[in-house]
Each structure stands twice: as structure tokens, then as C-alpha cells.
Amino acid sequence: MSESHSDALVLFGVTGDLAHKMIFPALYALAKNGALRVPVVGVASPKWSLEQLRSRVEDSIQRSGGIDDQDALRRLTALLGYVSGDYKDLGTFAAIKKALGAAVRPAHYLAIPPSLFETVIKGLAAANLTEQARVIVEKPFGRDLASARALNRVAQAAFPEDSIFRIDHFLGKEAIMNILYFRFANSFLEPIWNRNYVASVQVTLAEDFGVRGRGAFYETAGCLRDVIENHLFQIVALLAMEPAAGRSYGAVHDEKAKVFQAMRPLRPEDMVRGQYAGYRDESNVAKDSDVETFCALRLYVDSWRWEGVPWYLRSGKCLAQTATEILVELKAPPQRLFADSAPTTGRRNYLRIRLSPSSAIALAARVKRAGKEFVGDQRELYLLDEQPGEETAYTRLLGDAMAGDGALFSREDAVEAAWAVVDPVLKTHPPVRPYERQGWGPREADALIASDGGWHNFGPEEESV
């Protein structure tokens, strides 16, 4: 282990759902590959015994895919410690310090509600637990521009910027990382990757399920805050950024931040908000709720490369499929040499990138039919890019944070610039429109994109359009 590697992990919220569903399986994977050899101190308010925590960890791993390495499980559970206490009580932080023993470079993971971030960070600082330490903060980092700035001030008063890891699990997915690689490892894209050849870009993150008992959370967030301002904006940044000056993660962050800074602030007419039928009957949801479970945006990146190109983003719950796709539609040839080279119906040439549930890249091109006539059909060149045994997002991000590698995390300037784009419509926005379950959202979303050929509504394992 290098001297810069964290020598302990303090996991706040260790009894919560996030730890059970995502973090424990990630720790198990790290233990299996020998990358976890430091104490893991769980912190939460329930008065659990260490045996209860170990049982919770084992149950999590069993549910997430099964236990296939008993030695790794034993190594993980042997590293566990537990501190019970109130986050507002400084005595809790004194107990954490005692539990850390000789560790001097802990990583503090805040897997807790955002309302507690400031309390815990200030408690860590008061207990002198921030020197040489790192803090890992789960999204959402703020709920608007003002709160993001305030939280940044609190975090930076206790930790240097390069020790603050704002985690968005989306950035740790293999398919998301492949966007950056695909763009800049292949020379054929660069000549056409600009306003001269790209007509529009669509990004869709669809889920076929509802809030799944998280009504109380969704009432405070909504689709725009929960998915679009972070996940989909990150995809836009990777697609729209300029080549970085080098391979350092700081250089990549610089270019991504420039994309957020170039995004035109949203207006109410740029968005459609929807709410699926039955949402107001979910537990902990207001009977007159105006919270959106679907959101569609028309976005512009006012840069030299992308001036005038519309970016259409949408996400929603209870839609027809669970999948994430990108569609980059190209402009028609400048001269209509063949009658069907610029089709009046259907799509022109496009690049399609499927990010989930499978990972694939497809390029659509027109191919001549057999015979004397110069007419053809559009066909996809399709590459399925599934790799068995891929590292999960949380495994990658947790390992990177403890190693001090900030490549897949968000930086202060990018976080604030992204909030500045959506800030104008967080309070001033159109009302939600109802939509039926298992469709593609409210019909008003179709009008938003009608001039650019409509939404690409895909199937579950689509290989052609």
C-alpha cells in the first residue's frame, strides 16, 4: 500500500440501504482481489453489536450475487468495527477516533442523507479527524446552486479540494468510461464531431419501475435533480468536451467543466415535466404533488464546436423499458445525389451508443439495394461490447477514492456550473403533465423534439432501428 493510500475507511450510515445494496458488495469485491486490507469502521445511530453488523454484511453479499469466496468474506468481516452514536454529538466522533487506533489517513464515506453532510463534516473537523484524511460524499451535492456553494464552503473549510471526492456512481460504470475512450482513441470521429455535421443529440435514461418506496426522497428531489442534473449532464460533458491537454485527471476535469460553463441556462419553455399515473398514491407522497417523475429538456452548449446544435435529454420512471442510450443524428448530405439519400421520413445517418443494460455501439449507414436502381436502406453496423466480470461502479470508485485517484469524481467548479444551468427552472417551471405507465412519458415531450425527428424509442435488446 502506498503512503498516500487511506489506511482506514469510516463508513457513516453503515446500517442504511445504500451500504446494504451497494457498498458492502463493493468492499467484498475489493477484499477478493486483495485491495482491501485496512480497518472499516461503521458508524450509525442504532445500538448494534459487531455481530449484527457482520450478519448484515453477509446478508448483503448473499443477496447481491452470492458468496463465492469464504476466505475473502472472513477477511472483510475481520476488518469491521462499529461505533453507535448521534452525528450531532461530539462524543460520537471521539469514539470514532478511538476506534481508528493508529490509522492517520482515514477516508470518511458519507453514505447518509444530504441534510447531514454539513453536521458530519463539522464534527470530523472538531475532532481533528480531517488532517491527511479524505471525505467521500454521495450525490446529490446540494439541491440548487446556493446550497451547493454553501456545502462546498463547509467541505473546503475542513478538507483540501483534492481530498474531497464527490461520488456519482454513474461515472464509475464501464460504459460511461468508454465514451471518453471511444471519442478520443478513434480518429474517424473528430472530423464530423461538430456543428457542421451533427444535427442533434439525444440522451435517454429510462426506467420501467416507479419510486419503489422512496416517495419521501423523491418528493424532495424529483427527476431533474435526481438524474438529469448529474447523470445525464455528465454524459453530455463527455460527448461535448474538447480533447484534454494530457492524461491527468485534472486536465479532463478542466475540459468537462468548460462544457458545463458553456451550457445555456434553461428556460421553462425548454422543459417538459411529467408524473406517472399513481405516483400520488405512493407512500409518503403528497396527494397534490407537483414533483416530476419524468423530465425532458432541450439544451444548448454555446461553444465553438456545438453552437446551434440541440441536445435533448429525458429521463423518467414507469417508462416502457429500463435502458440508457445516446443517439447522435448527423445532417443529410449537402447535395441530394440520390432520391433517398436525404430521407423525408425516418432517421438520417446516426451513431447510437447503448450504455445499459447491455453495452453497444452502432453506426447507421445507407446501403444500396441489389438491382439497377440507386435506392437503398439504412443498416446498422452493430458492436456488442459486453465484457464478463466487469468491475462494478462502486468497487471502482471506492477503491479509487481510497487510493486518492480523483479521475472519476466531480470537481467544485463543475458541480456549481451544472447547478447554474438548471437553477432558473427549479422554481419557475411548467406544471407536471400526467402520463400512463409503460409508455414514453407525456405527449408534450414529443412536441419538444418534433422539429428534430422525434424521440428514439428503443426496445429492450435493440440491434437495429
Side-chain angles (χ1 to χ4, degrees):
M1 191 189 317
S2 71
E3 291 186 2
S4 64
H5 196 286
S6 297
D7 58 2
L9 175 65
V10 181
L11 179 51
F12 289 87
V14 72
T15 61
D17 284 346
L18 178 62
H20 188 261
K21 292 177 180 177
M22 298 295 182
I23 300 174
F24 294 155
L27 292 174
Y28 174 60
L30 290 172
K32 283 172 65 175
N33 64 30
L36 183 69
R37 300 187 299 275
V38 302
V40 178
V41 179
V43 185
S45 57
K47 297 186 181 302
W48 279 14
S49 67
L50 188 54
E51 282 309 310
Q52 282 178 289
L53 177 59
R54 287 172 174 165
S55 177
R56 174 81 164 169
V57 169
E58 186 170 344
D59 177 72
S60 162
I61 296 165
Q62 191 68 57
R63 289 172 182 267
S64 70
I67 299 168
D68 57 0
D69 189 333
Q70 288 290 342
D71 287 340
L73 179 63
R74 281 192 290 270
R75 290 196 299 272
L76 171 57
T77 55
L79 294 171
L80 294 174
Y82 185 67
V83 171
S84 171
D86 186 336
Y87 299 145
K88 297 178 181 179
D89 181 0
L90 291 181
T92 302
F93 296 90
I96 293 170
K97 194 168 189 177
K98 182 178 179 181
L100 284 171
V104 295
R105 299 185 306 278
H108 303 291
Y109 193 153
L110 310 191
I112 54 178
S115 59
L116 294 171
F117 289 168
E118 180 175 347
T119 299
V120 170
I121 291 172
K122 288 182 174 178
L124 290 171
N128 296 317
L129 285 168
T130 59
E131 188 176 353
Q132 300 186 69
R134 298 182 174 112
V135 64
I136 307 167
V137 185
E138 273 286 341
K139 79 166 187 73
F141 199 86
R143 54 177 287 103
D144 53 23
L145 180 57
S147 60
R149 285 174 172 167
L151 185 53
N152 275 325
R153 286 194 296 269
V154 169
Q156 290 171 340
F159 298 89
E161 173 62 28
D162 61 3
S163 294
I164 302 170
F165 292 78
R166 301 169 185 85
I167 193 169
D168 180 346
H169 71 276
F170 212 65
L171 291 178
K173 292 178 177 287
E174 189 66 40
I176 301 298
M177 296 170 64
N178 191 44
I179 296 174
L180 183 66
Y181 184 85
F182 181 69
R183 269 209 59 198
F184 297 115
N186 297 296
S187 60
F188 71 89
L189 279 179
E190 180 58 25
I192 63 170
W193 208 252
N194 55 60
R195 68 189 188 283
N196 297 320
Y197 294 94
V198 174
S200 65
V201 183
Q202 295 183 34
V203 185
T204 297
L205 190 160
E207 295 172 327
D208 64 4
F209 51 86
V211 295
R212 288 181 168 173
R214 298 170 71 231
F217 163 74
Y218 229 73
E219 283 290 278
T220 66
C223 183
L224 178 61
R225 286 184 173 95
D226 184 44
V227 178
I228 291 182
E229 185 274 337
N230 40 69
H231 294 342
L232 298 197
F233 273 24
Q234 292 292 341
I235 292 175
V236 173
L238 292 170
L239 292 170
M241 65 181 276
E242 298 298 323
R247 291 180 59 185
S248 71
Y249 65 78
V252 173
H253 284 320
D254 287 343
E255 297 305 328
K256 287 176 65 178
K258 289 176 185 176
V259 175
F260 297 130
Q261 291 159 2
M263 286 181 178
R264 192 182 302 174
L266 291 170
R267 305 168 301 167
E269 54 264 40
D270 296 320
M271 71 184 305
V272 173
R273 301 166 67 246
Q275 188 182 92
Y276 66 78
Y279 171 73
R280 295 179 185 180
D281 297 325
E282 301 273 6
S283 59
N284 299 310
V285 169
K287 296 304 179 185
D288 59 349
S289 175
D290 188 53
V291 170
E292 78 280 358
T293 62
F294 172 96
C295 190
L297 302 179
R298 178 176 52 230
L299 180 72
Y300 290 93
V301 178
D302 292 331
S303 67
W304 184 283
R305 182 185 292 265
W306 297 110
E307 181 64 32
V309 177
W311 296 70
Y312 295 100
L313 315 183
R314 67 172 172 169
S315 182
K317 293 187 177 296
C318 287
L319 298 183
Q321 303 290 342
T322 294
T324 305
E325 280 204 2
I326 299 161
L327 189 82
V328 181
E329 185 163 359
L330 303 177
K331 294 181 177 179
Q335 184 177 8
R336 194 163 179 164
L337 197 58
F338 306 107
D340 62 348
S341 61
T344 55
T345 60
R347 298 206 176 277
R348 298 176 289 253
N349 301 151
Y350 60 79
L351 175 71
R352 181 168 66 89
I353 304 174
R354 169 159 282 216
L355 303 176
S356 69
S358 58
S359 181
I361 296 173
L363 181 66
R366 298 197 68 80
V367 179
K368 181 184 172 297
R369 297 176 192 167
K372 291 184 178 181
E373 298 296 322
F374 281 92
V375 293
D377 301 291
Q378 187 141 279
R379 304 290 187 194
E380 276 194 354
L381 306 173
Y382 184 86
L383 170 65
L384 182 66
D385 189 33
E386 288 296 282
Q387 300 177 30
E390 288 180 5
E391 191 176 37
T392 68
Y394 271 95
T395 302
R396 176 178 289 120
L397 292 172
L398 191 51
D400 284 359
M402 294 179 69
D405 183 349
L408 300 178
F409 297 84
S410 298
R411 204 169 63 183
E412 172 201 12
D413 54 348
V415 168
E416 294 185 5
W419 277 120
V421 177
V422 303
D423 221 44
V425 296
L426 290 177
K427 292 183 179 179
T428 305
H429 50 63
V432 293
R433 305 295 182 181
Y435 64 94
E436 296 301 317
R437 296 168 181 249
Q438 281 31 85
W440 285 104
R443 63 179 181 273
E444 288 83 358
D446 296 331
L448 186 72
I449 195 175
S451 61
D452 283 292
W455 294 104
H456 166 49
N457 294 333
F458 42 81
E461 293 296 334
E462 177 181 295
E463 295 192 10
S464 63
V465 177

